[in-house]
Amino acid sequence: VTSPDDRALSRFLADVERRSSDLEILTGDDCVRRYSDPFRLRSLGDGTVAAVRPSGGTAIQDIVRSANEHGVPLWPISRGENLGYGGSASFGDAAVILDLSRMNRILAVNVEDAFCLVEPGVSFVDMHDHLQRHDLPLWLSVPGYGLGSMVGNALERGVGNSPYGDHASQICGLEVVLGDGELVRTGMGALSGSGMWQRQRAALGPRYDELFVQSGYGVVTKMGLWLMPQPEASAAIEIELSDRDGLGGLVETLTSLKRQAYIQDSPVIASFLTMAALRSVRSDWSDERRALNLEESRRLRDALGLGWWNARTRLYGPVDMVELCLGHVEKALRPFADSGVRVSRWRRGEPIENAHRGIPSGGGLANAQWCGEGGAHVDLAVALPLSGAEAMRHALRVMDLLESVGVDYHSAFYLRERHMLNIVQLLFDRNDTAMCEAVEAAYKMLIIDASMRGYGVTRAPAHFRADAMAVFDFADHALSRMGARIKAALDPGAILSPGKDGFPAEIRPIGSLPTAR
Amino acid sequence: VTSPDDRALSRFLADVERRSSDLEILTGDDCVRRYSDPFRLRSLGDGTVAAVRPSGGTAIQDIVRSANEHGVPLWPISRGENLGYGGSASFGDAAVILDLSRMNRILAVNVEDAFCLVEPGVSFVDMHDHLQRHDLPLWLSVPGYGLGSMVGNALERGVGNSPYGDHASQICGLEVVLGDGELVRTGMGALSGSGMWQRQRAALGPRYDELFVQSGYGVVTKMGLWLMPQPEASAAIEIELSDRDGLGGLVETLTSLKRQAYIQDSPVIASFLTMAALRSVRSDWSDERRALNLEESRRLRDALGLGWWNARTRLYGPVDMVELCLGHVEKALRPFADSGVRVSRWRRGEPIENAHRGIPSGGGLANAQWCGEGGAHVDLAVALPLSGAEAMRHALRVMDLLESVGVDYHSAFYLRERHMLNIVQLLFDRNDTAMCEAVEAAYKMLIIDASMRGYGVTRAPAHFRADAMAVFDFADHALSRMGARIKAALDPGAILSPGKDGFPAEIRPIGSLPTAR
């Protein structure tokens, strides 16, 4: 698919407008502004030429079919809030944004089996409000920014630190419009009227849910997600570790606690700037065009009462189990807790107070202002083995690389079952061209450097996707080649999310519109 | 693909023999006997015309490419022990068995992160022996029959009742030869030399592992599987419930314990015949050609000391946590335990004694002799909601249907996170044609009856696959149609496992050999 010419676009827009009774269409500069990525690094023309905003129903199928007929690529977004990873902006070739945010129905919430079925427009805040309004004992795993879509977040491998924090893993059942307009329900949803759609992951045959995570194979129009049943009790634990080089020991200790099942969530260990960027701006500490130095960093930590590393974890369960676990966790963490182990207990019936307990907020974006008015960030997630030594090695390596290009080290480690996710945020000033260039170079260096240790990036903005995919090179990029074959089978016109998959150019399937219909 | 003619087959066999230095080829009656399903219901010609047994390496790719060239369908099996679900036999059209059992290397076992990487020929017994020999503190989740392949079992959705009992969910990273011979590694295996292949499930882009579960899209040649780290302690709990109608209450109680995290595994509730068939034969209790009646059943239970329902569950963790959980579980189960709650504790360092702790055995087959020398069984797994009332309703319904065709009720419920798997075994005498016909009819009735409540079959022998898939009818069988499109993309010659997918005939992709290579 090449960029649609004005005539094809006009015909497409006229066509979808005629077919749908309740469709908003946006064009022109307002549209481009609305859907551009506020954090985009480069002045790449982001390709947006128009946007269509259906309210639901069969409109999506009509739009996708029409896009195939007229050769107009679509860039589906849920709510377009995937900030740090590209926002709502399309990539590369001109495309029409398929904005699903008006499809915002909560179709089911089941308390007993703890699941929901939602449309792409439902945000974490929407679901939180719904649960509060109906007094439902279910807890959300929330990402840093609560105004994003639950569907979009899971599809883009968003994370939280609750036991349900690997959001893509909580998907149970999808409704999808494939690239040629065919409507499919996965899993038990394929048995018409089945009550098992959100209860049972695999039907007969392969499970297809994860095929639509981070892909351009289809447009997800409904998603089942598992939620966390409200526990009887919980305990939040926070510590500050002042010694930068103590990271390894802390990782080993938390891993051991997690392996003994004393910890149920994904403990997070965040570098001080991650916290500092929520409460201050860079110019409070330095005006130099380089990464903060040791002295500035120390002054900052002292002023804000932060450790070099700041760890939090939360225990969940019946009261007696939480107390038992807490005893072990407190004791094990004490040697690392330079200002003591802070514990905050909660029991069912008490008011729920903070974000760790699943209250989504819009506050996660505050850190974007770190570099001032033009502040922005691009994020990079790399998975490492659950090893203290490797965490330390990787942290030092990333610090060095960032320092070499004058970028501060904002980093958090999420400890999972058999790996550890390291999310690094590169905060920069969009108005500073040299800095943008430095960040772009640093991002690519980080991808390549990680790959040399056998680590791959799990999330990346669309314009870094090709770089991030390039490292998956086994058998001459066989994985991308397989992806391209599935892409061609499910989106034969190559209409959806052009370029998003990041397949190397030479194996990207060339779009050919289906001839027979 | 139609059946290969003798010339095509000869050419294929000559071709693969020439290409491979270490390949066993079997033909003729011995071959047919060796690979026929000992439990097959009908005298279906099972299509086996030959078998090839590579020892590994690139032989699989050569064989698959050659099969494409000569139009010879392949029926890949790991060890061919999927008994009750078709064994090693192919289905429908003539096919060459691709027997992977000689590829039996244990490529990696990692204790710290608790995973292994194995070839398809590795059985549960092989892995158990390996762990014992090297004194490695890892536990297996084992199915009823331990001589089967770990790979084959996971690919066919085999189950155990340990916390790792949903074996397909423990897959982390595959090496696959696609239907046209292309070699692919999924997940982090696509980053050459990455140590994360078995540690991190999703790389960048979709996760493809589950695409190869129960499908004919590729031949899995290596599989990463997560194993259970040896806990500090465990406690096995068994109870007998004499009241048939008490099932609902028991399900609710176990579900509640599981939801409070006092139980970590999948509790199993088995009907008395499930146990009786391991310790006696049908003729011990009745010579009538009908389902056992109430009086015979009572005599059997009294003689063998069985409840109508027999439940077992196992707790795992540090000593203090197991003791805490055990207190709650014992107390909650006491009202159902007509001969008391039997508890067997284990602590690290003590000898490991029984199958619940992950000792695979060949004993699971003993129940096949229930109906005498010609004894066999076909199995049916249906997922239900975690509801006591629905468990009871379903149990009564299945009993009625089976009684109406004169088949005994062998049934077990596995309680999972948000659903419950009911596995029913239909035990019969292969030499009794009328009984075979009754079992076949009953099997199809059970599929259709379950579907009317919105339940689908999760495992079925190949010759019932089409019936089992037919109920997944949403949007005119869109799920099967999507499957057929992926099949055509990954196995363009329709060479692998013809008919196994169970797609309705009208949407099954017609095989066409790739013209350009």
Side-chain angles (χ1 to χ4, degrees), chain A residues 100-433:
Chain A
L100 308 173
S101 62
R102 290 176 70 209
M103 296 169 59
N104 59 358
R105 290 179 302 164
I106 295 174
L107 299 163
V109 176
N110 182 289
V111 170
E112 204 168 30
D113 289 324
F115 65 77
C116 65
L117 178 66
V118 294
E119 291 185 329
V122 176
S123 74
F124 290 90
V125 168
D126 292 338
M127 179 57 78
H128 177 72
D129 290 348
H130 178 90
L131 298 176
Q132 290 290 101
R133 197 161 50 243
H134 299 281
D135 198 19
L136 303 179
L138 295 172
W139 283 9
L140 292 179
S141 174
V142 295
Y145 185 61
L147 295 177
S149 156
M150 295 180 74
V151 170
N153 183 279
L155 290 178
E156 297 299 331
R157 297 207 189 285
V159 300
N161 66 317
S162 97
Y164 286 67
D166 180 2
H167 299 164
S169 298
Q170 307 310 326
I171 297 173
C172 186
L174 299 177
E175 182 180 277
V176 186
V177 175
L178 301 181
D180 64 349
E182 175 139 44
L183 184 74
V184 179
R185 286 189 181 171
T186 64
M188 292 304 296
L191 202 166
S192 302
S194 173
M196 300 302 289
W197 194 12
Q198 273 66 57
R199 289 183 169 90
Q200 176 192 355
R201 278 188 156 150
L204 186 67
R207 180 171 177 246
Y208 294 105
D209 286 356
E210 295 213 37
L211 211 48
F212 299 97
V213 172
Q214 287 186 325
S215 81
Y217 302 157
V219 182
V220 174
T221 51
K222 294 187 177 76
M223 178 184 284
L225 279 165
W226 286 355
L227 303 175
M228 179 169 155
Q230 186 190 66
E232 195 179 292
S234 81
I237 294 145
E238 292 185 326
I239 63 165
E240 284 106 36
L241 171 65
S242 54
D243 176 17
R244 185 195 69 178
D245 297 340
L247 173 67
L250 180 56
V251 164
E252 295 288 339
T253 299
L254 285 167
T255 298
S256 167
L257 290 166
K258 197 164 163 55
R259 288 189 166 148
Q260 291 170 90
Y262 288 134
I263 287 180
Q264 293 82 36
D265 74 344
S266 293
V268 183
I269 306 174
S271 74
F272 63 93
L273 283 186
T274 308
M275 335 288 285
L278 293 168
R279 304 190 223 159
S280 66
V281 291
R282 195 177 192 287
S283 57
D284 294 342
W285 316 106
S286 173
D287 292 319
E288 300 293 325
R289 285 178 58 108
R290 50 158 172 70
L292 289 188
N293 66 22
L294 288 179
E295 178 46 38
E296 291 155 355
S297 299
R298 193 173 305 116
R299 206 171 59 231
L300 178 156
R301 290 199 301 279
D302 289 345
L304 298 181
L306 293 170
W308 213 106
W309 299 105
N310 304 270
R312 63 176 194 272
T313 185
R314 192 170 278 271
L315 316 179
Y316 303 93
V319 173
D320 52 5
M321 200 183 291
V322 168
E323 288 301 318
L324 184 150
C325 294
L326 185 57
H328 290 280
V329 175
E330 264 195 285
K331 189 175 156 205
L333 290 184
R334 208 164 293 138
F336 300 93
D338 294 313
S339 17
V341 179
R342 278 199 307 289
V343 175
S344 150
R345 287 177 168 83
W346 175 88
R347 285 197 186 191
R348 196 179 287 164
E350 293 175 6
I352 297 176
E353 320 177 308
N354 68 51
H356 296 165
R357 284 170 184 156
I359 299 180
S361 80
L365 283 182
N367 71 342
Q369 304 305 310
W370 178 245
C371 291
E373 284 301 307
H377 60 90
V378 287
D379 304 352
L380 178 107
V382 169
L384 311 171
L386 269 178
S387 142
E390 199 55 18
M392 194 65 229
R393 196 207 62 82
H394 186 73
L396 292 175
R397 181 71 184 154
V398 172
M399 279 176 226
D400 275 358
L401 282 175
L402 292 183
E403 193 178 359
S404 74
V405 291
V407 173
D408 296 324
Y409 180 71
H410 299 250
S411 166
F413 292 87
Y414 290 71
L415 276 56
R416 297 252 184 97
E417 217 171 338
R418 283 167 175 80
H419 74 269
M420 167 168 62
L421 202 62
N422 179 222
I423 299 184
V424 173
Q425 294 196 305
L426 286 73
L427 279 73
F428 60 96
D429 179 357
R430 289 186 92 196
N431 302 325
D432 182 336
T433 308

Side-chain angles (χ1 to χ4, degrees), chain B residues 96-117:
Chain B
V96 171
I97 304 287
L98 174 54
D99 176 354
L100 308 175
S101 61
R102 289 177 70 211
M103 295 168 59
N104 59 357
R105 289 179 301 164
I106 295 174
L107 299 164
V109 176
N110 182 288
V111 170
E112 203 169 31
D113 289 325
F115 65 76
C116 64
L117 178 67

